[in-house]
Each structure stands twice: as structure tokens, then as C-alpha cells.
Amino acid sequence: MTRTLIVGSGFVGRAVATRLAATGDSPVLASRHPLTAPPVPWTALDAADADSCARVVEQVRPDRLVLVHGPSDVTWCEANPGRAVALHTAAAANLTAAAPGCRTVLISTDNVFDGSSPANDENTPTAPANAYGRAKLRAERIIGAVPGATVLRVSLIYGWEPAGTGKWLNFFSACAHGLRRGEPVEAPDDQWTTPVLVEDVAAVTAAVLAGEAPPLLHLGGPDRISRAAWAEAVADGLRVPRSLVRRVPKAAGRYASRPTNTCLTSDRLDGFLAARGLRVRGVAEGVRALLEAAP
């Protein structure tokens, strides 16, 4: 049985673990903080510590490695740029050194681009506009030197998360919970993205792990949409007034450090998906599926 070590047990890491377990893999989640009711086995790991990485690799003996490590809060990274770079690069270097020969996938970000263009494919020159993007780009370069590794850049990821967990929710969930309560929701009308449902991210990650994949692949959703228009789509799905969505400039809130366009396009993704019978859902279909399944 193939064993995959997933470093980072947050929203995306758990989704990847669930997908791999459903397809017969034996995934293990690893992170600094313990999980409540993890979907698969979990082990403690300080990815910034080389000895901790060596111990976990020796314990798990993985065939494959998925790096979804943080910090991923763009605002926090902007306030702590040196720490962000140190954590992202140390984790990438420590784990690839501890697990040579593992099929490795790094989940990266659209923030490696400056946001000046609505379309960024695998040939677009990188130019990070914020500390998070700079940290991820440094990690990308470490992974890029590993034979057979893939950097999977993913646009804004969304899915259902419960309220009251004490963490910052993904944009869809934050909007859905607020609108359900009849509360006004502020959303930038000058920041665009190509959102991807977390289950689709997990499916593509599993496919990249399973076979041949390019060393760099972009995963963006088929819709380029502003956050405000996206919030209005959530309001429509909940059948609440669109007037609850307050359109604001991104500079007015926590999105100030995001590029204007956090959008990904690809000249490789369509062929990769078609060969494996996969597709990436658009915003309308994703919102509908999540709201139908929501508690």
C-alpha cells in the first residue's frame, strides 16, 4: 500500500488526506498542532526543525510527500515577512532532505504573481506582490531542484467550514455563515480570483501524485470573478437579498495586501484533466453543491 506523508493538516491537507484514503492510499497527516478527530492517522511534526522531519520520515517511511505547510495567512505574512520566508523554506528543505526519492508535490499559490494581469499561466514570469508570495516562491525553488517533483500552484481554495472554530474561515464559508445569519458581508469589488473547490484541489493533487505530471502546473477554476460578485452568488444560493453584500475596495480591509488579480490560467491543465477523467467545477456549481450539502 502506498504511504503518503501530508505536511500541513489544515483545510487543504485534510481534504487531500480524505481523497487519498478513499482511493486506497495510506495517508498520514503531520503538523505542529494536534487535530480533533483527524480523518486519517496524524503525527506531530515541526517542519522547521530538521531533526523533527528526520524522525517523522523514519517513523512513517513515506513513498510520497505532499507539502501544504503554512503559514498561509497573507495578512500575517505581510506583518512577519522574515518569519514567513524562514518557515516556508525550512520546511521545504528539511523534508526533501529527509525523504530523498519520494514523489513530492508542493501546493503553492497565485500570489507569486503581482496581480497586474487577469491571466497568469505557467510561462508567466513570477513577481510576488506580497510576503506570502515571496515565501512560497522561495519554497518553489527548493522543490524545483528535486527530481520528479511538481509545484502545483492553486488559486483561491474554498469549501465548507463550520463556524465558531476560532480560525479565519475561507471566503466562501465566511460569506455563507454571515449571510445565513442575515448579517451584512463586506466584499471587495476590485479583487478578482479564479476560485477552486477544495474537493477538486484534492482530486487533482491525488492525480499529480499518482502518475506523470509536469514539474509546474497551474490549477485555477474556470471562472474569473470578483469577491463581491462571488459573495452575491452565495447570497443567491441562500435566497437572501444581494443587498446584504456590501461592495468595498480591497484597500479598506484585510485584502489590501492581495494582488488585484489572484488568477491562474494554464496551457497544461485541460489535457492533464481530460486524460484522467477529471474536471474543475465553476463557482455556480460549486456554491450549489456546498449549500445543498451544508448542515
Side-chain angles (χ1 to χ4, degrees):
M1 182 178 292
T2 305
R3 188 175 293 272
T4 303
L5 178 62
I6 303 168
V7 180
S9 56
F11 179 55
V12 179
R14 291 194 304 272
V16 172
T18 299
R19 173 77 183 198
L20 292 176
T23 57
D25 190 20
S26 181
V28 176
L29 283 165
S31 59
R32 183 175 300 186
H33 301 294
L35 298 182
T36 301
V40 301
W42 171 87
T43 188
L45 170 68
D46 179 358
D49 180 79
D51 290 337
S52 178
C53 292
R55 284 194 300 271
V56 167
V57 168
E58 177 64 24
Q59 167 197 334
V60 175
R61 296 186 178 277
D63 305 292
R64 309 188 303 194
L65 185 64
V66 179
L67 303 182
V68 204
H69 60 282
S72 58
D73 185 316
V74 176
T75 305
W76 184 92
C77 290
E78 203 65 15
N80 302 272
R83 184 69 175 148
V85 168
L87 290 171
H88 279 280
T89 56
N94 290 340
L95 286 156
T96 53
C102 275
R103 174 78 176 105
T104 300
V105 176
L106 170 70
I107 306 295
S108 191
T109 177
D110 46 26
N111 280 260
V112 298
F113 300 106
D114 64 12
S116 60
S117 171
N120 299 288
D121 66 19
E122 291 88 354
N123 299 305
T124 302
T126 53
N130 54 37
Y132 176 57
R134 289 189 290 274
K136 275 293 191 186
L137 186 58
R138 292 276 294 275
E140 282 189 12
R141 289 170 178 162
I142 294 169
I143 300 303
V146 175
T150 293
V151 171
L152 180 63
R153 290 183 185 144
V154 185
S155 198
L156 185 63
I157 303 170
Y158 70 100
W160 185 263
E161 292 181 286
T165 60
K167 69 179 286 294
W168 181 260
L169 300 176
N170 71 82
F171 183 78
F172 163 84
S173 287
C175 290
H177 288 301
L179 293 169
R180 266 185 160 185
R181 294 189 295 263
E183 299 171 356
V185 169
E186 290 189 347
D189 59 3
D190 58 351
Q191 204 265 329
W192 285 265
T193 185
T194 45
V196 191
L197 195 61
V198 68
E199 287 82 5
D200 293 344
V201 175
V204 174
T205 301
V208 169
L209 281 170
E212 291 187 8
L216 176 62
L217 183 64
H218 281 191
L219 174 55
D223 300 319
R224 178 179 178 267
I225 191 169
S226 73
R227 287 185 187 255
W230 189 10
E232 289 169 348
V234 177
D236 291 344
L238 289 168
R239 297 177 182 172
V240 301
R242 279 192 169 201
S243 58
L244 285 173
V245 177
R246 295 181 178 172
R247 289 175 168 254
V248 297
K250 71 184 181 74
R254 64 176 283 120
Y255 300 103
S257 57
R258 269 71 167 181
T260 296
N261 291 287
T262 49
C263 303
L264 293 177
T265 54
S266 177
D267 60 4
R268 305 167 190 177
L269 182 64
D270 287 348
F272 182 85
L273 295 177
R276 291 155 181 82
L278 296 174
R279 69 186 186 90
V280 175
R281 285 166 280 188
V283 168
E285 185 179 358
V287 167
R288 184 170 61 251
L290 289 172
L291 294 179
E292 288 174 352

mmCIF file of all heavy atoms in Angstrom, residues 222-247:
data_model
loop_
_atom_site.group_PDB
_atom_site.id
_atom_site.type_symbol
_atom_site.label_atom_id
_atom_site.label_comp_id
_atom_site.label_asym_id
_atom_site.label_seq_id
_atom_site.Cartn_x
_atom_site.Cartn_y
_atom_site.Cartn_z
ATOM 1 N N PRO A 222 -12.592 27.698 -13.603
ATOM 2 C CA PRO A 222 -12.932 28.213 -14.928
ATOM 3 C C PRO A 222 -13.518 29.622 -14.916
ATOM 4 O O PRO A 222 -13.650 30.229 -15.979
ATOM 5 C CB PRO A 222 -13.974 27.206 -15.434
ATOM 6 C CG PRO A 222 -14.585 26.630 -14.202
ATOM 7 C CD PRO A 222 -13.488 26.595 -13.188
ATOM 8 N N ASP A 223 -13.862 30.145 -13.742
ATOM 9 C CA ASP A 223 -14.492 31.462 -13.659
ATOM 10 C C ASP A 223 -13.542 32.484 -13.054
ATOM 11 O O ASP A 223 -12.971 32.254 -11.982
ATOM 12 C CB ASP A 223 -15.748 31.411 -12.778
ATOM 13 C CG ASP A 223 -16.793 30.449 -13.307
ATOM 14 O OD1 ASP A 223 -16.984 30.419 -14.539
ATOM 15 O OD2 ASP A 223 -17.407 29.730 -12.494
ATOM 16 N N ARG A 224 -13.385 33.619 -13.739
ATOM 17 C CA ARG A 224 -12.703 34.770 -13.147
ATOM 18 C C ARG A 224 -13.788 35.665 -12.567
ATOM 19 O O ARG A 224 -14.658 36.145 -13.299
ATOM 20 C CB ARG A 224 -11.884 35.530 -14.188
ATOM 21 C CG ARG A 224 -11.197 36.775 -13.632
ATOM 22 C CD ARG A 224 -10.378 37.498 -14.696
ATOM 23 N NE ARG A 224 -9.766 38.704 -14.171
ATOM 24 C CZ ARG A 224 -10.321 39.915 -14.246
ATOM 25 N NH1 ARG A 224 -11.508 40.076 -14.833
ATOM 26 N NH2 ARG A 224 -9.692 40.964 -13.722
ATOM 27 N N ILE A 225 -13.753 35.895 -11.259
ATOM 28 C CA ILE A 225 -14.862 36.562 -10.592
ATOM 29 C C ILE A 225 -14.332 37.445 -9.473
ATOM 30 O O ILE A 225 -13.343 37.118 -8.816
ATOM 31 C CB ILE A 225 -15.867 35.513 -10.043
ATOM 32 C CG1 ILE A 225 -17.160 36.161 -9.567
ATOM 33 C CG2 ILE A 225 -15.234 34.657 -8.961
ATOM 34 C CD1 ILE A 225 -18.266 35.149 -9.260
ATOM 35 N N SER A 226 -14.972 38.594 -9.259
ATOM 36 C CA SER A 226 -14.593 39.439 -8.131
ATOM 37 C C SER A 226 -15.145 38.828 -6.850
ATOM 38 O O SER A 226 -16.128 38.077 -6.862
ATOM 39 C CB SER A 226 -15.132 40.861 -8.298
ATOM 40 O OG SER A 226 -16.532 40.890 -8.085
ATOM 41 N N ARG A 227 -14.534 39.152 -5.742
ATOM 42 C CA ARG A 227 -15.037 38.631 -4.475
ATOM 43 C C ARG A 227 -16.464 39.119 -4.207
ATOM 44 O O ARG A 227 -17.282 38.379 -3.644
ATOM 45 C CB ARG A 227 -14.107 39.029 -3.333
ATOM 46 C CG ARG A 227 -12.789 38.261 -3.324
ATOM 47 C CD ARG A 227 -11.964 38.601 -2.091
ATOM 48 N NE ARG A 227 -10.639 38.008 -2.151
ATOM 49 C CZ ARG A 227 -10.249 36.950 -1.448
ATOM 50 N NH1 ARG A 227 -11.104 36.342 -0.645
ATOM 51 N NH2 ARG A 227 -9.009 36.490 -1.538
ATOM 52 N N ALA A 228 -16.760 40.340 -4.610
ATOM 53 C CA ALA A 228 -18.111 40.866 -4.395
ATOM 54 C C ALA A 228 -19.137 40.076 -5.204
ATOM 55 O O ALA A 228 -20.199 39.700 -4.678
ATOM 56 C CB ALA A 228 -18.163 42.350 -4.762
ATOM 57 N N ALA A 229 -18.848 39.826 -6.471
ATOM 58 C CA ALA A 229 -19.769 39.051 -7.298
ATOM 59 C C ALA A 229 -19.914 37.627 -6.772
ATOM 60 O O ALA A 229 -20.996 37.024 -6.824
ATOM 61 C CB ALA A 229 -19.294 39.036 -8.746
ATOM 62 N N TRP A 230 -18.833 37.090 -6.241
ATOM 63 C CA TRP A 230 -18.867 35.751 -5.664
ATOM 64 C C TRP A 230 -19.757 35.726 -4.418
ATOM 65 O O TRP A 230 -20.583 34.831 -4.237
ATOM 66 C CB TRP A 230 -17.444 35.335 -5.333
ATOM 67 C CG TRP A 230 -17.269 33.898 -4.923
ATOM 68 C CD1 TRP A 230 -18.195 32.888 -4.995
ATOM 69 C CD2 TRP A 230 -16.094 33.319 -4.381
ATOM 70 N NE1 TRP A 230 -17.651 31.718 -4.526
ATOM 71 C CE2 TRP A 230 -16.360 31.960 -4.151
ATOM 72 C CE3 TRP A 230 -14.825 33.822 -4.085
ATOM 73 C CZ2 TRP A 230 -15.414 31.096 -3.615
ATOM 74 C CZ3 TRP A 230 -13.880 32.952 -3.569
ATOM 75 C CH2 TRP A 230 -14.176 31.608 -3.330
ATOM 76 N N ALA A 231 -19.611 36.728 -3.564
ATOM 77 C CA ALA A 231 -20.467 36.818 -2.379
ATOM 78 C C ALA A 231 -21.934 36.944 -2.779
ATOM 79 O O ALA A 231 -22.828 36.376 -2.126
ATOM 80 C CB ALA A 231 -20.039 38.002 -1.516
ATOM 81 N N GLU A 232 -22.195 37.678 -3.862
ATOM 82 C CA GLU A 232 -23.582 37.799 -4.332
ATOM 83 C C GLU A 232 -24.112 36.460 -4.849
ATOM 84 O O GLU A 232 -25.297 36.144 -4.686
ATOM 85 C CB GLU A 232 -23.659 38.879 -5.407
ATOM 86 C CG GLU A 232 -23.473 40.284 -4.838
ATOM 87 C CD GLU A 232 -23.272 41.345 -5.897
ATOM 88 O OE1 GLU A 232 -23.055 40.998 -7.082
ATOM 89 O OE2 GLU A 232 -23.324 42.550 -5.543
ATOM 90 N N ALA A 233 -23.228 35.642 -5.451
ATOM 91 C CA ALA A 233 -23.640 34.305 -5.883
ATOM 92 C C ALA A 233 -24.003 33.436 -4.682
ATOM 93 O O ALA A 233 -24.938 32.624 -4.735
ATOM 94 C CB ALA A 233 -22.530 33.656 -6.700
ATOM 95 N N VAL A 234 -23.269 33.597 -3.587
ATOM 96 C CA VAL A 234 -23.604 32.862 -2.361
ATOM 97 C C VAL A 234 -24.952 33.336 -1.824
ATOM 98 O O VAL A 234 -25.780 32.526 -1.394
ATOM 99 C CB VAL A 234 -22.493 33.041 -1.307
ATOM 100 C CG1 VAL A 234 -22.876 32.330 -0.003
ATOM 101 C CG2 VAL A 234 -21.160 32.505 -1.822
ATOM 102 N N ALA A 235 -25.180 34.654 -1.858
ATOM 103 C CA ALA A 235 -26.475 35.187 -1.419
ATOM 104 C C ALA A 235 -27.606 34.613 -2.259
ATOM 105 O O ALA A 235 -28.661 34.227 -1.728
ATOM 106 C CB ALA A 235 -26.462 36.712 -1.502
ATOM 107 N N ASP A 236 -27.403 34.532 -3.566
ATOM 108 C CA ASP A 236 -28.424 33.944 -4.442
ATOM 109 C C ASP A 236 -28.693 32.492 -4.059
ATOM 110 O O ASP A 236 -29.843 32.049 -4.013
ATOM 111 C CB ASP A 236 -27.966 34.011 -5.912
ATOM 112 C CG ASP A 236 -27.929 35.427 -6.452
ATOM 113 O OD1 ASP A 236 -28.519 36.325 -5.827
ATOM 114 O OD2 ASP A 236 -27.286 35.624 -7.504
ATOM 115 N N GLY A 237 -27.614 31.751 -3.793
ATOM 116 C CA GLY A 237 -27.787 30.356 -3.426
ATOM 117 C C GLY A 237 -28.545 30.182 -2.125
ATOM 118 O O GLY A 237 -29.300 29.216 -1.953
ATOM 119 N N LEU A 238 -28.351 31.114 -1.197
ATOM 120 C CA LEU A 238 -29.049 31.067 0.091
ATOM 121 C C LEU A 238 -30.434 31.714 0.029
ATOM 122 O O LEU A 238 -31.183 31.664 1.003
ATOM 123 C CB LEU A 238 -28.209 31.776 1.158
ATOM 124 C CG LEU A 238 -26.939 31.055 1.607
ATOM 125 C CD1 LEU A 238 -26.063 31.979 2.421
ATOM 126 C CD2 LEU A 238 -27.293 29.813 2.408
ATOM 127 N N ARG A 239 -30.736 32.353 -1.101
ATOM 128 C CA ARG A 239 -32.009 33.052 -1.295
ATOM 129 C C ARG A 239 -32.203 34.159 -0.257
ATOM 130 O O ARG A 239 -33.270 34.316 0.337
ATOM 131 C CB ARG A 239 -33.176 32.060 -1.278
ATOM 132 C CG ARG A 239 -33.099 31.051 -2.421
ATOM 133 C CD ARG A 239 -34.192 30.028 -2.376
ATOM 134 N NE ARG A 239 -34.036 29.060 -3.456
ATOM 135 C CZ ARG A 239 -34.764 27.946 -3.576
ATOM 136 N NH1 ARG A 239 -35.706 27.669 -2.694
ATOM 137 N NH2 ARG A 239 -34.553 27.119 -4.586
ATOM 138 N N VAL A 240 -31.116 34.918 -0.079
ATOM 139 C CA VAL A 240 -31.179 36.116 0.761
ATOM 140 C C VAL A 240 -30.874 37.315 -0.129
ATOM 141 O O VAL A 240 -30.312 37.163 -1.222
ATOM 142 C CB VAL A 240 -30.174 36.033 1.936
ATOM 143 C CG1 VAL A 240 -30.469 34.805 2.805
ATOM 144 C CG2 VAL A 240 -28.736 35.998 1.437
ATOM 145 N N PRO A 241 -31.260 38.520 0.291
ATOM 146 C CA PRO A 241 -31.067 39.690 -0.572
ATOM 147 C C PRO A 241 -29.601 39.965 -0.885
ATOM 148 O O PRO A 241 -28.742 39.908 -0.008
ATOM 149 C CB PRO A 241 -31.667 40.843 0.249
ATOM 150 C CG PRO A 241 -32.587 40.195 1.224
ATOM 151 C CD PRO A 241 -31.986 38.863 1.529
ATOM 152 N N ARG A 242 -29.341 40.258 -2.152
ATOM 153 C CA ARG A 242 -27.979 40.638 -2.544
ATOM 154 C C ARG A 242 -27.537 41.923 -1.841
ATOM 155 O O ARG A 242 -26.336 42.181 -1.727
ATOM 156 C CB ARG A 242 -27.909 40.851 -4.055
ATOM 157 C CG ARG A 242 -27.784 39.573 -4.855
ATOM 158 C CD ARG A 242 -27.437 39.899 -6.298
ATOM 159 N NE ARG A 242 -27.061 38.703 -7.048
ATOM 160 C CZ ARG A 242 -26.355 38.717 -8.154
ATOM 161 N NH1 ARG A 242 -25.950 39.877 -8.668
ATOM 162 N NH2 ARG A 242 -26.057 37.589 -8.772
ATOM 163 N N SER A 243 -28.484 42.710 -1.379
ATOM 164 C CA SER A 243 -28.145 43.964 -0.717
ATOM 165 C C SER A 243 -27.371 43.750 0.584
ATOM 166 O O SER A 243 -26.765 44.695 1.114
ATOM 167 C CB SER A 243 -29.417 44.763 -0.426
ATOM 168 O OG SER A 243 -30.311 44.009 0.379
ATOM 169 N N LEU A 244 -27.369 42.510 1.096
ATOM 170 C CA LEU A 244 -26.559 42.218 2.282
ATOM 171 C C LEU A 244 -25.069 42.242 1.963
ATOM 172 O O LEU A 244 -24.246 42.359 2.866
ATOM 173 C CB LEU A 244 -26.933 40.847 2.856
ATOM 174 C CG LEU A 244 -28.260 40.753 3.625
ATOM 175 C CD1 LEU A 244 -28.568 39.306 3.981
ATOM 176 C CD2 LEU A 244 -28.205 41.613 4.886
ATOM 177 N N VAL A 245 -24.728 42.098 0.684
ATOM 178 C CA VAL A 245 -23.320 42.166 0.275
ATOM 179 C C VAL A 245 -22.953 43.625 0.034
ATOM 180 O O VAL A 245 -23.547 44.288 -0.816
ATOM 181 C CB VAL A 245 -23.071 41.345 -1.000
ATOM 182 C CG1 VAL A 245 -21.614 41.492 -1.440
ATOM 183 C CG2 VAL A 245 -23.413 39.882 -0.766
ATOM 184 N N ARG A 246 -22.002 44.110 0.797
ATOM 185 C CA ARG A 246 -21.559 45.488 0.665
ATOM 186 C C ARG A 246 -20.261 45.516 -0.132
ATOM 187 O O ARG A 246 -19.234 45.000 0.330
ATOM 188 C CB ARG A 246 -21.357 46.116 2.044
ATOM 189 C CG ARG A 246 -22.663 46.227 2.832
ATOM 190 C CD ARG A 246 -22.457 46.862 4.183
ATOM 191 N NE ARG A 246 -23.711 47.004 4.899
ATOM 192 C CZ ARG A 246 -23.797 47.392 6.180
ATOM 193 N NH1 ARG A 246 -22.688 47.685 6.856
ATOM 194 N NH2 ARG A 246 -24.984 47.489 6.771
ATOM 195 N N ARG A 247 -20.318 46.084 -1.312
ATOM 196 C CA ARG A 247 -19.132 46.183 -2.168
ATOM 197 C C ARG A 247 -18.203 47.268 -1.626
ATOM 198 O O ARG A 247 -18.615 48.410 -1.433
ATOM 199 C CB ARG A 247 -19.545 46.498 -3.594
ATOM 200 C CG ARG A 247 -20.237 45.317 -4.295
ATOM 201 C CD ARG A 247 -20.741 45.686 -5.671
ATOM 202 N NE ARG A 247 -21.139 44.497 -6.432
ATOM 203 C CZ ARG A 247 -20.445 43.972 -7.426
ATOM 204 N NH1 ARG A 247 -19.299 44.566 -7.806
ATOM 205 N NH2 ARG A 247 -20.860 42.898 -8.058
#
